[in-house]
């Protein structure tokens, strides 16, 4: 939400101008300053980039591939795929990463 607020404040400054936009700047500053701080997204990005550099271009797991031809179906594309909207457990139980990265968890927010 912080980026949305920051963008809205920047837009308000551009449209309204100073000195009136000082109020928008104060509100935005207060909002951002009082939010919990967490660098989990940034840390996740760095870990994922490191794995991408180390592992190279890995294939998408077969069950996640879209079988648009009969040959692809015969090769196992889409086989065993569990649609999360029909099977909510699939989000946790179904693997979404290539075999070389199995078990990796990148996003680890503090306090969760």
């Amino acid at each position: 939400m912080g980026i949305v607020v920051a963008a809205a404040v920047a837009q308000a400054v551009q449209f309204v101008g100073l000195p009136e936009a000082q109020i928008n700047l104060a509100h935005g500053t207060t909002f951002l300053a009082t939010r919990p701080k967490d660098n989990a997204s940034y840390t996740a990005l760095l870990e994922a980039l490191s794995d991408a550099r180390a592992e190279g271009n890995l294939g998408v797991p077969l069950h996640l591939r879209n079988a648009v031809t009969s040959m692809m179906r015969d090769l196992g594309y889409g086989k065993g795929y569990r649609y999360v909207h029909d099977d909510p457990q699939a989000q946790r139980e179904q693997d979404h990463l290539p075999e070389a990265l199995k078990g990796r968890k990148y996003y680890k927010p503090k306090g969760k």
Side-chain angles (χ1 to χ4, degrees):
M1 195 62 194
I3 193 71
V4 173
V5 170
V9 169
Q11 192 173 36
V13 171
Q14 185 179 18
F15 288 162
V16 177
L18 294 172
E20 291 82 0
Q22 288 178 351
I23 296 168
N24 304 106
L25 287 164
H27 284 157
T29 300
T30 302
F31 177 85
L32 294 172
T34 58
R35 297 301 94 194
K37 306 304 183 264
D38 189 346
N39 69 342
S41 294
Y42 180 59
T43 302
L45 171 66
L46 295 179
E47 289 177 17
L49 287 171
S50 177
D51 279 352
R53 286 185 189 105
E55 298 294 337
N57 189 13
L58 299 172
V60 173
L62 283 178
H63 67 280
L64 296 178
R65 296 183 191 186
N66 190 16
V68 295
T69 67
S70 59
M71 182 182 84
M72 290 174 163
R73 275 189 296 282
D74 292 344
L75 291 172
Y77 282 36
K79 185 176 182 182
Y81 175 71
R82 294 166 61 190
Y83 186 56
V84 174
H85 297 286
D86 293 336
D87 181 4
Q89 291 297 99
Q91 184 174 2
R92 283 190 295 278
E93 296 171 0
Q94 182 171 245
D95 291 325
H96 296 94
L97 292 173
E99 190 65 34
L101 300 176
K102 191 172 187 170
R104 291 286 285 154
K105 182 178 179 183
Y106 296 103
Y107 181 62
K108 298 170 240 161
K110 293 177 175 76
K112 291 191 179 186

